Amino acid sequence: MKKRNRAEHYDRLTHPLVRENGELRRATWEEALDRAAEGFRRNVAAHGPDTFAMLSCARSTNEMNYVGQKFTRVVMGTNNVDSCNRTCHAPSVAGLSAAFGSGGGTSSYQEVEDADVIIMWGSAARNAHPIFFQHVLKGIRKGARMFAVDPRRTGTAEWADRWLGLNVGTDIPLAHAVAREIIHAGLHNTVFIERATEGFAEFAASVEPWTLSVAEQVTGVPAAAIRELAHTYAQADRAQLCWTLGITEHHNATDNVRALINLSLLTGHVGRYGSGLSPLRGQNNVQGGGDMGAIPNRLPGFQDILDPEIRARFEAAWQTPIQPRYGRNLTEMLEGMAEGEVTTCYLIGENPVQSEADSLSCIKRLSMLDHLVVQDIFLTKTAQMADVVLPAGAAWCESDGTFTNSERRVQRVRKALVPPGEARDDIWILCELARRLGHDWRYESAEEVWNEVRGLSPAHAGMSYQRLADLQGIQWPCPSEDSLEPPFLHGRLWETDPAKRGRLAPFAVLEHSPPVDLLDEEYPLRLTTGRRLDSYNTGVQSSGFASPLRRGENIELSPEDAARLGVTAGEEVRISSRRGAVVAPVYIDPALRPGLVFMTMHFPDEVDTNALTIEATCPIAGTAEFKAAAVRIDRLVTTKAG
Ligand SMILES: Nc1nc2c(c(=O)[nH]1)N[C@H]1C(S)=C(S)[C@@H](COP(=O)(O)OP(=O)(O)OC[C@H]3O[C@@H](n4cnc5c(=O)[nH]c(N)nc54)[C@H](O)[C@@H]3O)O[C@H]1N2
Ligand SMILES: Nc1nc2c(c(=O)[nH]1)N[C@H]1C(S)=C(S)[C@@H](COP(=O)(O)OP(=O)(O)OC[C@H]3O[C@@H](n4cnc5c(=O)[nH]c(N)nc54)[C@H](O)[C@@H]3O)O[C@H]1N2
Ligand SMILES: [Mo]
């Protein structure tokens, strides 16, 4: 008997679609797969492998992401593969890699419960990471002091001992002032600095101008609060520094991340139990997607493509040459579309039409493609632009496999439901396309894929499905079947023997660089965008359900700005940036400071927030400045307003 699947009620995609005479129409799998494969083949044959680009699904399994990047590299012959990691934590990965040689968060969730100090920097974890936040709350109950650094007095800040309400885009000045204060008070960890780091003298000199009073002027945070944070963090025995998009969705995001890492190097709060650095990852498997190589610069196991020995191992296993250069990231893919260099795209579980900054420009670029294939569980706005739409199963309940969370813990997921209608597992679809392009791939099970991963990624080698089940998940690195690594990374930095200690962790010398979209008389307000508890990203997976919690898109204003503009709660107003304008009702929120406006990205069908955001991107990580646009607000002329 067929298992019933409630997902069928929610407008799930239930059969393939192909475009004919400008319209999408129903097709058989045979026809849709043939069309999809033929378009890829045609483009690559005409202009070479780098005309192809894939976005791989951060909501799907590790196994799917492994097969997805292998499809890109082996079947299509390019390294142009990326995911939504680019829009959120690519700067964290870049910053941590530069400092420590590995891009993962350093600590486990348990350590947060055992910390003396927890800093939530640019993170709305109370809403966006409720499971992690339970650990924070347990830590607070055990006596930890918590600081929240956020322009808004968020739900997270409500639980903090101290809220540091800084101006958007002033994180480097704040971190520099904290560092200077620690150094001037003699609270830096000279043993650790000496043993494990390099570049301290230059760094100390570079933060010297950032006195508490200069920082107070630039950041808006009172000097006493900066001083308190500096002293408390430096004097803690165990301190966790956690951050998310308030740090990473900026044009200088990798520098922001390095500024926080500097604080951990200064105090020795890394490489020990209870002390560490945690970028809380976004989508359920965005950590795993990157670990599996669904990024343009790394092979599975986060192994560098530029390393000839690593490449040789993969070339032997895959029987294919791998291009010895990095592929295009998501931002560069979009640029390539504009320049006619990327002409065909395979989007798996991504909705860039609504999630990219400056959405109008993104739509223009996607429409320049010769051939677009979208594989999703819903008919998204992006899928509506496709030449071929392939209906997938929802990985979290309709597939077997593994996910990896922010503490690098790999956990099993199991198929509980069958996909609705004719929808098929992501891996099945990838293999059918590979076969049409001359590669006879047949994976009998997710476990077979996983065992291939374990053979190629030393960090995952010891994680059999059996062990993952027995231990209820294992953190990487796990090099052998008998290894149980400590829950934190970089313990080596504390070794006294230089040979065991390995590469030193460099301090970074950084400049403050304010948001690109400048405030002026025409656009005098700072818009920052983010999340609410009751909705998910572009709303594809959350807006189809009625919820008494959900109030739709609002333009959230401080009481002061609302009074100044003469607008009342619920009134529809127009908000405009240098790129676009939308209309939405006002919501007055005392959590906002004057000059700051907040909107979500959750209701783009009604209000396209990303028509306002700016595509200024971090040159190192490619992440856009979603967190800082310059806007104006105008009342709509209504008869009532007279
Ligand atoms: N309920 C829910 N949970 C989610 C999601 C969802 O859509 N809904 N999405 C998931 C995803 S993909 C991600 S990446 C995570 C994101 O999780 P978070 O990063 O926590 O979420 P955001 O609300 O985008 O942004 C975090 C905070 O950054 C602050 N901020 C803005 N500008 C600055 C600044 O210049 N400096 C500092 N210090 N802070 C600033 C904002 O005020 C906001 O409170 O959430 C995940 N979890
Ligand atoms: N203004 C503004 N914009 C932002 C942000 C912001 O803070 N502000 N944040 C950015 C961030 S952090 C992120 S992560 C992006 C998110 O951007 P996207 O990833 O483009 O947005 P989602 O809504 O999460 O879309 C995920 C898609 O995956 C599909 N899907 C879910 N499960 C599966 C599966 O198992 N298989 C397949 N094939 N498909 C599946 C869903 O139906 C959905 O269409 O948005 C970015 N955009
Ligand atoms: Mo994200």
Side-chain angles (χ1 to χ4, degrees), residues 106-123:
T106 69
S107 304
S108 62
Y109 295 170
Q110 178 63 43
E111 288 172 82
V112 172
E113 294 182 20
D114 295 336
D116 308 313
V117 173
I118 304 166
I119 303 180
M120 303 300 300
W121 199 310
S123 162

Side-chain angles (χ1 to χ4, degrees), residues 86-88 91 168-172 245-254 256 331 355-358 512-519 526-530 577-579 609-610 612-619 621-630:
R86 197 61 47 198
T87 61
C88 46
V168 169
T170 62
D171 296 276
I172 289 178
L245 306 187
I247 282 296
T248 60
E249 285 184 340
H250 288 282
H251 75 282
N252 58 341
T254 306
N256 281 346
T331 307
S355 58
E356 278 295 301
D358 193 355
H512 171 41
S513 172
V516 172
D517 209 14
L518 292 177
L519 301 181
R526 182 57 77 204
L527 170 72
T528 198
T529 63
S577 75
R578 296 185 175 95
R579 291 147 301 278
T609 303
N610 277 328
L612 304 167
T613 49
I614 184 170
E615 207 212 352
T617 54
C618 168
T623 305
E625 193 150 69
F626 290 106
K627 292 288 183 261

Side-chain angles (χ1 to χ4, degrees), residues 431-493:
C431 290
E432 285 296 316
L433 289 172
R435 289 208 295 133
R436 280 168 175 75
L437 293 161
H439 293 258
D440 190 19
W441 289 1
R442 287 168 209 275
Y443 289 107
E444 296 299 326
S445 65
E447 187 168 13
E448 191 182 334
V449 178
W450 185 245
N451 286 336
E452 189 172 315
V453 173
R454 293 173 59 211
L456 290 164
S457 165
H460 296 88
M463 298 181 188
S464 65
Y465 268 19
Q466 189 59 52
R467 274 193 97 208
L468 286 172
D470 292 347
L471 298 172
Q472 301 199 351
I474 304 175
Q475 284 174 282
W476 63 251
C478 176
S480 72
E481 292 247 13
D482 50 20
S483 65
L484 266 188
E485 290 296 301
F488 57 88
L489 295 180
H490 315 313
R492 64 174 177 84
L493 291 171

Side-chain angles (χ1 to χ4, degrees), residues 188-233:
H188 50 306
N189 189 326
T190 45
V191 174
F192 183 77
I193 292 170
E194 185 89 344
R195 191 183 291 174
T197 72
E198 60 189 4
F200 171 71
E202 296 87 327
F203 170 68
S206 76
V207 299
E208 200 43 38
W210 292 101
T211 61
L212 294 179
S213 64
V214 170
E216 173 170 329
Q217 273 173 24
V218 174
T219 65
V221 180
I226 305 176
R227 185 175 182 280
E228 186 188 357
L229 177 97
H231 286 244
T232 313
Y233 180 66

Side-chain angles (χ1 to χ4, degrees), residues 127-197:
N127 287 344
H129 295 93
I131 295 178
F132 177 80
F133 203 68
Q134 291 303 311
H135 297 278
V136 172
L137 291 178
K138 283 189 192 166
I140 291 173
R141 192 176 305 149
K142 283 165 87 172
R145 280 177 66 73
M146 202 258 270
F147 291 81
V149 184
D150 197 300
R152 301 182 304 141
R153 193 177 189 115
T154 58
T156 308
E158 293 296 329
W159 285 92
D161 293 277
R162 191 71 70 218
W163 167 54
L164 280 70
L166 81 174
N167 298 327
V168 169
T170 62
D171 296 276
I172 289 178
L174 184 62
H176 278 5
V178 170
R180 182 186 185 277
E181 177 61 25
I182 290 173
I183 296 168
H184 277 251
L187 296 174
H188 50 306
N189 189 326
T190 45
V191 174
F192 183 77
I193 292 170
E194 185 89 344
R195 191 183 291 174
T197 72

